[in-house]
Each structure stands twice: as structure tokens, then as C-alpha cells.
Amino acid sequence: MARSTNQLVNPNAREAMNRFKMETASELGVNLKQGYNGDITARQAGSIGGQMVKKMIQAYENGLQQ
């Protein structure tokens, strides 16, 4: 049986990831709420995830340059 790949290694990171997601959604003008967000479009959800990945890559690259 395969282990789920979306489990966080550090359970305390869940709250930080939720804050990061809400912050990113706000920057993009997407109205996210706590809990279920089935009323947003796939495009909106994808833009949030894509922007989060861009920010994480940028932070990693900035860390390498220092």
C-alpha cells in the first residue's frame, strides 16, 4: 500500500502552509475561506498553487545565493 504523498512531514507545518495559502490567495484576489472552498474555479485554485510554488522556488534560490 502506497503512502499518501500529500502528508506533511512536520505536522506543525500545516498551520504555516494554510497561512501561506491564504496570503497567496489574498494577493491574487481570490476569496478563500477556512474549510471547504468548492465555490472557487479550478483556474483560481491552480493559480494559488502555482504562485505558492513560484514563491517557494524563489525563496530557495535566494537562500542559495546568500
Side-chain angles (χ1 to χ4, degrees):
M1 179 184 290
R3 181 178 160 197
S4 176
T5 59
N6 65 353
Q7 291 182 355
L8 297 174
V9 175
N10 180 349
N12 296 326
R14 184 171 311 284
E15 183 57 36
M17 288 300 291
N18 283 332
R19 282 193 311 269
F20 183 40
K21 178 173 59 177
M22 297 300 274
E23 173 189 313
T24 302
S26 177
E27 290 171 3
L28 294 172
V30 177
N31 185 24
L32 276 189
K33 50 195 174 296
Q34 294 295 341
Y36 181 70
N37 283 285
D39 56 332
I40 68 171
T41 66
R43 180 179 292 254
Q44 290 172 318
S47 67
I48 294 168
Q51 190 64 27
M52 289 173 68
V53 170
K54 283 182 185 178
K55 286 181 172 186
M56 287 185 270
I57 291 170
Q58 185 177 26
Y60 177 77
E61 289 175 344
N62 288 342
L64 288 178
Q65 293 172 1
Q66 293 178 1

Coordinates of all heavy atoms in Angstrom, one line a residue:
M1 N 0.8 -1.2 0.0 CA 0.0 0.0 0.0 C 0.9 1.2 0.0 O 1.8 1.4 0.8 CB -0.9 0.0 1.2 CG -1.8 1.2 1.3 SD -2.8 1.3 2.8 CE -3.9 0.0 2.5
A2 N 0.6 2.2 -0.9 CA 1.4 3.4 -1.0 C 1.0 4.4 0.0 O -0.2 4.5 0.3 CB 1.3 4.0 -2.4
R3 N 2.0 5.1 0.5 CA 1.7 6.2 1.5 C 1.3 7.4 0.7 O 1.8 7.7 -0.4 CB 3.0 6.5 2.3 CG 2.8 7.5 3.3 CD 4.0 7.8 4.1 NE 3.9 9.1 4.7 CZ 4.9 9.7 5.2 NH1 6.1 9.2 5.1 NH2 4.7 10.9 5.7
S4 N 0.3 8.2 1.2 CA -0.1 9.4 0.6 C 1.0 10.4 0.5 O 1.8 10.6 1.4 CB -1.3 10.0 1.4 OG -1.7 11.2 0.9
T5 N 1.1 11.0 -0.6 CA 2.2 11.9 -0.9 C 1.9 13.4 -0.4 O 2.8 14.2 -0.4 CB 2.6 12.0 -2.4 OG1 1.5 12.4 -3.1 CG2 3.1 10.7 -2.9
N6 N 0.7 13.6 0.0 CA 0.4 15.0 0.5 C 0.4 15.2 2.0 O 0.0 16.2 2.5 CB -1.0 15.4 -0.1 CG -2.1 14.6 0.4 OD1 -1.9 13.7 1.1 ND2 -3.3 15.0 0.1
Q7 N 1.0 14.2 2.7 CA 1.1 14.4 4.1 C 2.4 15.2 4.4 O 3.4 14.9 3.9 CB 1.2 13.0 4.8 CG -0.1 12.2 4.7 CD 0.0 10.9 5.4 OE1 1.0 10.5 5.9 NE2 -1.1 10.2 5.5
L8 N 2.2 16.1 5.4 CA 3.3 16.9 5.8 C 4.2 16.1 6.7 O 3.8 15.4 7.6 CB 2.9 18.2 6.5 CG 2.0 19.1 5.6 CD1 1.5 20.3 6.4 CD2 2.9 19.7 4.4
V9 N 5.5 16.3 6.5 CA 6.5 15.6 7.4 C 6.4 16.1 8.8 O 6.4 15.4 9.8 CB 7.9 15.7 6.9 CG1 8.9 15.1 7.8 CG2 8.0 15.1 5.5
N10 N 6.3 17.4 8.9 CA 6.1 18.1 10.2 C 4.7 18.5 10.4 O 4.3 19.5 9.8 CB 7.1 19.3 10.3 CG 7.0 20.0 11.6 OD1 6.2 19.8 12.4 ND2 8.0 20.9 11.8
P11 N 3.9 17.9 11.3 CA 2.5 18.3 11.4 C 2.3 19.7 11.8 O 1.3 20.3 11.5 CB 2.0 17.4 12.6 CG 3.0 16.2 12.6 CD 4.3 16.8 12.1
N12 N 3.3 20.3 12.5 CA 3.2 21.8 12.9 C 3.3 22.7 11.7 O 2.9 23.8 11.7 CB 4.3 22.1 13.9 CG 4.2 21.4 15.2 OD1 3.1 21.1 15.6 ND2 5.3 21.0 15.8
A13 N 3.7 22.2 10.5 CA 3.8 23.0 9.3 C 2.5 23.2 8.7 O 2.3 24.1 7.9 CB 4.8 22.3 8.3
R14 N 1.5 22.4 9.0 CA 0.2 22.5 8.4 C -0.4 23.9 8.6 O -0.9 24.5 7.6 CB -0.8 21.5 9.0 CG -2.2 21.5 8.3 CD -3.1 20.4 8.7 NE -2.4 19.1 8.7 CZ -2.2 18.4 7.6 NH1 -2.5 18.9 6.4 NH2 -1.6 17.2 7.6
E15 N -0.3 24.5 9.8 CA -0.8 25.9 10.0 C -0.1 26.9 9.2 O -0.6 27.8 8.6 CB -0.8 26.2 11.5 CG -1.4 27.6 11.8 CD -2.8 27.7 11.4 OE1 -3.6 26.8 11.4 OE2 -3.2 28.8 10.9
A16 N 1.3 26.7 9.1 CA 2.1 27.7 8.3 C 1.7 27.6 6.9 O 1.6 28.6 6.2 CB 3.5 27.4 8.5
M17 N 1.5 26.4 6.4 CA 1.1 26.2 4.9 C -0.3 26.8 4.7 O -0.6 27.5 3.7 CB 1.1 24.8 4.5 CG 2.5 24.2 4.4 SD 3.5 25.0 3.2 CE 2.7 24.5 1.7
N18 N -1.2 26.7 5.6 CA -2.6 27.3 5.5 C -2.5 28.8 5.5 O -3.1 29.5 4.7 CB -3.5 26.8 6.6 CG -4.0 25.4 6.4 OD1 -4.1 25.0 5.2 ND2 -4.3 24.7 7.4
R19 N -1.6 29.4 6.3 CA -1.4 30.8 6.3 C -0.8 31.3 5.0 O -1.2 32.3 4.4 CB -0.5 31.3 7.5 CG -1.2 31.3 8.8 CD -0.4 32.1 9.9 NE 1.0 31.6 10.0 CZ 1.4 30.6 10.8 NH1 0.6 30.0 11.5 NH2 2.7 30.3 10.8
F20 N 0.1 30.5 4.5 CA 0.8 30.8 3.2 C -0.2 30.8 2.1 O -0.3 31.7 1.2 CB 1.9 29.8 3.0 CG 2.8 30.0 1.8 CD1 3.2 31.3 1.4 CD2 3.2 28.9 1.1 CE1 3.9 31.5 0.2 CE2 4.0 29.1 -0.1 CZ 4.3 30.4 -0.5
K21 N -1.1 29.8 2.1 CA -2.1 29.7 1.1 C -3.1 30.8 1.1 O -3.4 31.4 0.1 CB -2.9 28.3 1.3 CG -4.0 28.1 0.3 CD -4.6 26.7 0.4 CE -5.2 26.5 1.7 NZ -5.8 25.2 1.9
M22 N -3.5 31.2 2.3 CA -4.5 32.3 2.5 C -3.8 33.6 2.0 O -4.5 34.5 1.4 CB -5.0 32.4 3.9 CG -5.7 31.2 4.4 SD -7.2 30.9 3.4 CE -8.4 31.9 4.2
E23 N -2.6 33.8 2.4 CA -1.8 35.1 2.0 C -1.7 35.1 0.5 O -2.0 36.2 -0.1 CB -0.5 35.0 2.6 CG 0.5 36.1 2.2 CD 1.9 35.9 2.7 OE1 2.0 35.6 3.9 OE2 2.8 36.1 1.9
T24 N -1.4 34.0 -0.2 CA -1.2 34.0 -1.6 C -2.5 34.2 -2.3 O -2.6 35.0 -3.3 CB -0.6 32.6 -2.0 OG1 0.7 32.5 -1.4 CG2 -0.4 32.6 -3.5
A25 N -3.6 33.6 -1.8 CA -4.9 33.8 -2.4 C -5.3 35.3 -2.3 O -5.9 35.8 -3.3 CB -5.9 32.9 -1.7
S26 N -5.1 35.9 -1.2 CA -5.4 37.3 -1.0 C -4.6 38.2 -2.0 O -5.2 39.1 -2.6 CB -5.1 37.7 0.4 OG -5.3 39.1 0.6
E27 N -3.4 37.9 -2.2 CA -2.6 38.6 -3.2 C -3.1 38.5 -4.6 O -3.0 39.4 -5.4 CB -1.1 38.2 -3.1 CG -0.4 38.5 -1.9 CD 1.0 37.9 -1.8 OE1 1.4 37.2 -2.7 OE2 1.7 38.1 -0.8
L28 N -3.7 37.4 -4.9 CA -4.2 37.1 -6.2 C -5.7 37.6 -6.3 O -6.3 37.5 -7.4 CB -4.1 35.6 -6.6 CG -2.7 35.1 -6.7 CD1 -2.7 33.6 -6.8 CD2 -2.0 35.7 -7.9
G29 N -6.3 38.0 -5.2 CA -7.7 38.5 -5.3 C -8.7 37.3 -5.2 O -9.8 37.5 -5.6
V30 N -8.3 36.2 -4.8 CA -9.2 35.0 -4.7 C -9.7 35.0 -3.2 O -8.9 35.0 -2.3 CB -8.5 33.7 -5.0 CG1 -9.4 32.5 -4.9 CG2 -7.9 33.8 -6.5
N31 N -11.0 34.9 -3.1 CA -11.6 34.9 -1.7 C -11.7 33.5 -1.2 O -12.6 32.7 -1.5 CB -13.0 35.5 -1.8 CG -13.6 35.7 -0.4 OD1 -12.9 35.7 0.6 ND2 -14.9 35.7 -0.4
L32 N -10.6 33.1 -0.4 CA -10.6 31.8 0.2 C -11.2 31.9 1.6 O -11.0 33.0 2.3 CB -9.2 31.2 0.3 CG -8.6 30.5 -0.8 CD1 -7.3 29.9 -0.4 CD2 -9.5 29.4 -1.4
K33 N -11.8 30.9 2.1 CA -12.3 30.9 3.5 C -11.8 29.6 4.2 O -11.4 28.7 3.5 CB -13.8 31.0 3.5 CG -14.6 30.0 2.7 CD -16.0 30.4 2.5 CE -16.7 29.5 1.6 NZ -16.3 29.6 0.2
Q34 N -11.8 29.6 5.5 CA -11.4 28.4 6.2 C -12.3 27.3 5.8 O -13.5 27.5 5.7 CB -11.4 28.6 7.7 CG -10.4 29.7 8.2 CD -8.9 29.2 8.0 OE1 -8.6 28.0 7.8 NE2 -8.0 30.2 8.0
G35 N -11.8 26.1 5.7 CA -12.6 24.9 5.3 C -12.8 24.7 3.9 O -11.9 25.0 3.1
Y36 N -14.0 24.3 3.5 CA -14.3 23.9 2.1 C -14.4 25.2 1.2 O -15.0 26.2 1.5 CB -15.7 23.2 2.1 CG -16.1 22.7 0.7 CD1 -15.4 21.7 0.1 CD2 -17.2 23.3 0.1 CE1 -15.8 21.3 -1.2 CE2 -17.6 22.9 -1.1 CZ -16.9 21.9 -1.8 OH -17.3 21.5 -3.0
N37 N -13.7 25.1 0.0 CA -13.8 26.2 -0.9 C -14.2 25.7 -2.3 O -13.6 26.0 -3.3 CB -12.4 26.8 -1.0 CG -12.1 27.7 0.2 OD1 -12.6 28.8 0.3 ND2 -11.3 27.3 1.1
G38 N -15.2 24.9 -2.3 CA -15.7 24.3 -3.6 C -16.3 25.3 -4.6 O -16.6 25.0 -5.7
D39 N -16.5 26.5 -4.1 CA -17.1 27.5 -5.0 C -16.0 28.3 -5.8 O -16.4 29.1 -6.7 CB -17.9 28.5 -4.1 CG -17.1 29.2 -3.0 OD1 -16.1 28.6 -2.6 OD2 -17.4 30.3 -2.7
I40 N -14.8 28.0 -5.6 CA -13.8 28.7 -6.5 C -13.5 27.8 -7.7 O -13.7 26.6 -7.7 CB -12.4 29.0 -5.7 CG1 -11.7 27.7 -5.4 CG2 -12.7 29.9 -4.5 CD1 -10.3 28.0 -4.8
T41 N -13.1 28.4 -8.8 CA -12.8 27.7 -10.0 C -11.5 27.0 -10.0 O -10.6 27.3 -9.1 CB -12.8 28.7 -11.2 OG1 -11.7 29.5 -11.1 CG2 -14.1 29.5 -11.3
A42 N -11.4 26.0 -10.9 CA -10.1 25.2 -11.0 C -9.0 26.2 -11.3 O -7.9 26.0 -10.9 CB -10.3 24.1 -12.0
R43 N -9.3 27.2 -12.2 CA -8.3 28.2 -12.6 C -7.8 28.9 -11.3 O -6.6 29.2 -11.2 CB -8.8 29.1 -13.6 CG -7.8 30.1 -14.1 CD -8.4 31.0 -15.1 NE -8.7 30.3 -16.3 CZ -7.9 30.4 -17.4 NH1 -6.9 31.2 -17.5 NH2 -8.2 29.7 -18.5
Q44 N -8.7 29.4 -10.5 CA -8.3 30.1 -9.3 C -7.5 29.2 -8.3 O -6.5 29.7 -7.8 CB -9.6 30.6 -8.6 CG -10.3 31.7 -9.3 CD -11.6 32.0 -8.6 OE1 -12.4 31.1 -8.2 NE2 -11.9 33.3 -8.5
A45 N -7.9 28.0 -8.2 CA -7.2 27.1 -7.3 C -5.8 26.8 -7.8 O -4.8 26.8 -7.1 CB -8.0 25.7 -7.1
G46 N -5.7 26.6 -9.1 CA -4.4 26.4 -9.8 C -3.5 27.6 -9.7 O -2.3 27.4 -9.5
S47 N -4.1 28.8 -9.8 CA -3.2 30.0 -9.7 C -2.7 30.1 -8.3 O -1.5 30.6 -8.1 CB -4.0 31.2 -10.1 OG -5.0 31.5 -9.2
I48 N -3.4 29.8 -7.3 CA -2.9 29.8 -5.9 C -1.8 28.9 -5.7 O -0.7 29.2 -5.3 CB -4.1 29.5 -4.9 CG1 -5.1 30.6 -5.0 CG2 -3.5 29.4 -3.5 CD1 -6.4 30.3 -4.2
G49 N -2.0 27.6 -6.2 CA -0.9 26.6 -6.0 C 0.3 27.0 -6.8 O 1.5 26.9 -6.4
G50 N 0.1 27.5 -8.0 CA 1.2 27.8 -8.9 C 2.0 29.0 -8.3 O 3.3 29.0 -8.3
Q51 N 1.3 30.0 -7.8 CA 2.0 31.1 -7.1 C 2.8 30.7 -5.9 O 3.9 31.2 -5.6 CB 1.0 32.2 -6.8 CG 1.7 33.5 -6.4 CD 2.5 34.2 -7.5 OE1 2.2 34.0 -8.7 NE2 3.5 34.9 -7.1
M52 N 2.2 29.8 -5.1 CA 2.9 29.3 -3.9 C 4.2 28.6 -4.3 O 5.2 28.8 -3.7 CB 2.0 28.3 -3.2 CG 0.8 28.9 -2.5 SD -0.3 27.8 -1.7 CE 0.7 27.1 -0.4
V53 N 4.2 27.8 -5.4 CA 5.4 27.1 -5.9 C 6.4 28.1 -6.3 O 7.6 28.0 -6.0 CB 5.0 26.1 -7.0 CG1 6.3 25.5 -7.6 CG2 4.2 24.9 -6.4
K54 N 6.0 29.1 -7.1 CA 6.9 30.2 -7.5 C 7.6 30.8 -6.3 O 8.8 31.0 -6.3 CB 6.2 31.2 -8.3 CG 5.8 30.8 -9.7 CD 5.2 32.0 -10.4 CE 4.7 31.6 -11.8 NZ 4.0 32.7 -12.5
K55 N 6.8 31.1 -5.3 CA 7.4 31.8 -4.1 C 8.4 30.9 -3.4 O 9.4 31.3 -2.9 CB 6.3 32.2 -3.1 CG 5.5 33.4 -3.6 CD 4.4 33.7 -2.5 CE 3.7 34.9 -2.7 NZ 2.8 35.3 -1.6
M56 N 8.0 29.6 -3.3 CA 8.9 28.6 -2.6 C 10.2 28.5 -3.4 O 11.3 28.4 -2.8 CB 8.2 27.3 -2.4 CG 7.2 27.3 -1.3 SD 6.5 25.7 -1.0 CE 5.1 25.7 -2.2
I57 N 10.2 28.4 -4.7 CA 11.4 28.3 -5.5 C 12.2 29.5 -5.4 O 13.4 29.5 -5.2 CB 11.0 28.0 -7.0 CG1 10.4 26.6 -7.1 CG2 12.2 28.2 -7.9 CD1 9.8 26.3 -8.5
Q58 N 11.6 30.7 -5.4 CA 12.3 32.0 -5.3 C 13.0 32.0 -3.9 O 14.2 32.4 -3.8 CB 11.3 33.1 -5.5 CG 12.0 34.5 -5.4 CD 11.0 35.6 -5.7 OE1 9.8 35.5 -5.4 NE2 11.5 36.7 -6.2
A59 N 12.3 31.6 -2.9 CA 12.9 31.6 -1.5 C 14.1 30.7 -1.5 O 15.1 31.0 -0.9 CB 11.9 31.3 -0.5
Y60 N 14.0 29.5 -2.1 CA 15.1 28.6 -2.1 C 16.3 29.2 -2.9 O 17.4 29.1 -2.4 CB 14.6 27.3 -2.7 CG 15.7 26.2 -2.9 CD1 16.1 25.5 -1.8 CD2 16.4 26.0 -4.1 CE1 17.2 24.6 -1.9 CE2 17.4 25.1 -4.2 CZ 17.8 24.4 -3.1 OH 18.8 23.5 -3.2
E61 N 16.0 29.7 -4.0 CA 17.1 30.3 -4.8 C 17.8 31.5 -4.1 O 19.0 31.6 -4.2 CB 16.6 30.7 -6.2 CG 16.2 29.6 -7.1 CD 15.6 30.0 -8.4 OE1 15.1 31.2 -8.5 OE2 15.6 29.1 -9.3
N62 N 17.0 32.3 -3.4 CA 17.5 33.4 -2.7 C 18.4 32.9 -1.5 O 19.4 33.5 -1.2 CB 16.4 34.3 -2.1 CG 15.8 35.1 -3.2 OD1 16.3 35.3 -4.3 ND2 14.6 35.6 -2.9
G63 N 18.1 31.8 -0.9 CA 18.9 31.1 0.1 C 20.2 30.6 -0.4 O 21.2 30.6 0.3
L64 N 20.2 30.1 -1.6 CA 21.4 29.6 -2.2 C 22.4 30.7 -2.6 O 23.6 30.5 -2.5 CB 21.1 28.8 -3.5 CG 20.4 27.5 -3.4 CD1 20.1 26.9 -4.7 CD2 21.3 26.5 -2.6
Q65 N 21.9 31.9 -2.9 CA 22.7 33.0 -3.3 C 23.4 33.7 -2.1 O 24.3 34.4 -2.3 CB 21.9 34.0 -4.1 CG 21.4 33.5 -5.4 CD 20.4 34.4 -6.1 OE1 20.1 35.5 -5.6 NE2 20.0 34.0 -7.3
Q66 N 22.9 33.4 -0.9 CA 23.5 34.1 0.2 C 24.7 33.4 0.8 O 25.0 32.3 0.6 CB 22.4 34.3 1.3 CG 21.3 35.2 0.8 CD 20.2 35.4 1.9 OE1 20.3 34.8 3.0 NE2 19.2 36.1 1.5

